[in-house]
Amino acid sequence: MSQLGCIAREIIMRLAICTAALIVLGSGAAMAQDARDWRTLYSDGTYDFALDDGSVQRTGDAVQLTYRITLPEEGEVAAMEADALLDCRAQTLTLTAARSYDAAGVVVQSVEAPEDRRKAEPIYQGEGGHETLYRDLCPGGAPVPAPPPAGPPPIPVSPSRN
């Protein structure tokens, strides 16, 4: 076999090994996603809200967690996962990262919130999954407050003509 033939054969072998490794890694990532310990906390027919019990880490009143929202409608996004920080004392939830998936379980989009852009959002009564998450992970916590009253409706403004 010529030297060129040996080099070509080696390149083909390396490509085959790399391809096999990517397939194994890809299936491992899918298996890791499936290996999560999802527990449905809330469902209203519009969406299902589940907590990955294996992701829960407590430090005092702060709880790090991952939750998943599954949408029953067919569309580009079938599910969304979020990493969040729940503050039981302040009754707030701060998203730190989020991923959206298509129906096949492939990541459509993934974002991580920079620390300077993270905002603790209050949890209110009637917020379905977030309220249920608070009640589940903060037993004995203060009752969830009612949402603030809606502000006045927007006033339509048309451009002035000179």
Side-chain angles (χ1 to χ4, degrees):
M1 183 179 280
S2 71
Q3 186 175 13
L4 186 58
C6 288
I7 293 171
R9 194 175 104 210
E10 185 174 333
I11 290 171
I12 290 170
M13 289 299 290
R14 286 185 185 185
L15 282 173
I17 291 169
C18 289
T19 302
L22 287 173
I23 290 170
V24 169
L25 289 174
S27 64
M31 287 171 48
Q33 181 182 341
D34 293 341
R36 293 198 185 248
D37 189 13
W38 296 115
R39 177 170 53 99
T40 301
L41 295 179
Y42 178 83
S43 183
D44 68 357
T46 306
Y47 68 95
D48 294 334
F49 187 98
L51 171 67
D52 173 13
D53 283 323
S55 72
V56 175
Q57 296 180 8
R58 293 180 183 276
T59 306
D61 288 325
V63 184
Q64 288 183 323
L65 58 104
T66 299
Y67 68 84
R68 181 178 182 101
I69 295 172
T70 306
L71 307 169
E73 299 175 11
E74 291 188 28
E76 182 181 340
V77 174
M80 190 276 294
E81 285 179 12
D83 300 327
L85 180 61
L86 173 66
D87 186 326
C88 290
R89 180 174 294 168
Q91 297 179 315
T92 59
L93 189 67
T94 305
L95 295 183
T96 58
R99 296 156 302 281
S100 58
Y101 298 87
D102 66 12
V106 175
V107 175
V108 176
Q109 184 175 15
S110 179
V111 291
E112 185 166 336
E115 286 196 39
D116 64 334
R117 305 272 323 245
R118 295 177 184 172
K119 183 179 177 200
E121 297 289 342
I123 299 169
Y124 296 113
Q125 290 175 12
E127 288 190 340
H130 291 162
E131 180 183 3
T132 306
L133 181 70
Y134 168 78
R135 290 177 191 222
D136 187 79
L137 293 176
C138 304
V144 179
I155 300 171
V157 178
S158 61
S160 62
R161 297 179 191 211
N162 293 341

